[in-house]
């Protein structure tokens, strides 16, 4: 006899398929609907119509790009110096997220961040940005350089208890 109560929830993605057209496109739409439901949170249901396949396929490609970038360590930060004009020195650095595809081509955040936010991968990206920034700060501190770094985090993730717990 189990004395624990376990609460479960589910997300579902639904795409109607009447037997005509390409079954693979219907599966792609179903997967995209599932990702939308997951992004909406526990207990969500999302549907996808045939007219949404173009956006769904592009979004799936972006999600796949992000996941492969995680898997193959192709997520980096560039550090842009921010000049303190009054003092004429670099006041701090802004950490800019960079993601590269298999060919090493950098992708601009506006190209992949919307897909990351809709799919739920944004949380993992935010954590990766923080990890890379802290690693860089530690290396600079070890080298005797004191610097400040500003990072950009998702508005959807900012202020969440999970993020605050990770930072603290």
């Amino acid at each position: 006899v189990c004395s624990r109560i376990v609460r479960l929830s589910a997300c579902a993605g639904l795409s109607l398929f009447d037997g005509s057209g390409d079954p693979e496109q219907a599966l792609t739409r179903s997967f995209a609907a599932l990702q939308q439901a997951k992004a909406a949170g526990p207990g969500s249901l999302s549907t996808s119509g045939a007219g949404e396949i173009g956006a769904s396929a592009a979004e799936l490609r972006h999600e796949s790009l992000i996941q492969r970038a995680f898997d193959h360590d192709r997520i980096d930060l560039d550090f842009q110096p921010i000049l303190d004009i009054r003092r004429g020195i670099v006041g701090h650095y802004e950490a800019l997220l960079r993601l590269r595809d298999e060919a090493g081509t950098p992708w601009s955040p506006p190209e992949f961040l919307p897909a990351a936010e809709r799919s739920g991968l944004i949380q993992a990206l935010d954590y990766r940005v923080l990890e890379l920034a802290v690693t860089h700060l530690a290396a600079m501190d070890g080298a005797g350089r004191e610097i400040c770094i500003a990072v950009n985090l998702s508005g959807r993730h900012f202020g969440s208890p999970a993020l605050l717990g990770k930072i603290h």
Side-chain angles (χ1 to χ4, degrees):
V1 175
C2 182
S3 63
R4 290 167 114 185
I5 296 175
V6 178
R7 296 177 197 253
L8 300 175
S9 67
C11 295
L14 175 67
S15 176
L16 299 177
F17 181 64
D18 63 5
S20 64
D22 184 358
E24 204 153 309
Q25 287 184 348
L27 285 174
T28 301
R29 286 193 306 273
S30 294
F31 185 74
L34 177 59
Q35 296 305 325
Q36 289 174 341
K38 285 180 178 179
S44 298
L45 170 68
S46 180
T47 60
S48 177
E52 300 169 9
I53 186 62
S56 297
E59 186 155 315
L60 289 174
R61 282 191 303 275
H62 288 129
E63 289 175 28
S64 178
L65 169 79
I66 296 165
Q67 193 58 58
R68 287 189 317 272
F70 271 111
D71 294 344
H72 299 285
D73 199 26
R74 292 192 307 259
I75 298 172
D76 300 304
L77 296 178
D78 280 344
F79 296 95
Q80 177 176 313
I82 306 299
L83 184 64
D84 180 337
I85 296 176
R86 288 187 199 138
R87 298 185 313 171
I89 61 169
V90 172
H92 67 281
Y93 294 85
E94 182 178 6
L96 304 174
L97 177 61
R98 298 295 180 246
L99 184 142
R100 293 175 282 110
D101 63 19
E102 288 81 3
T105 305
W107 282 61
S108 168
E111 294 178 280
F112 64 86
L113 284 180
E117 287 185 341
R118 283 189 288 276
S119 69
L121 288 168
I122 193 66
Q123 184 175 12
L125 279 173
D126 280 348
Y127 289 155
R128 183 68 179 146
V129 165
L130 289 170
E131 178 185 6
L132 291 169
V134 168
T135 299
H136 188 76
L137 280 171
M140 292 294 101
D141 186 53
R145 288 191 61 204
E146 188 173 313
I147 64 168
C148 294
I149 297 176
V151 297
N152 297 307
L153 301 175
S154 167
R156 290 185 179 194
H157 193 206
F158 192 77
S160 76
L163 177 65
L164 296 175
K166 188 87 162 174
I167 292 171
H168 201 275

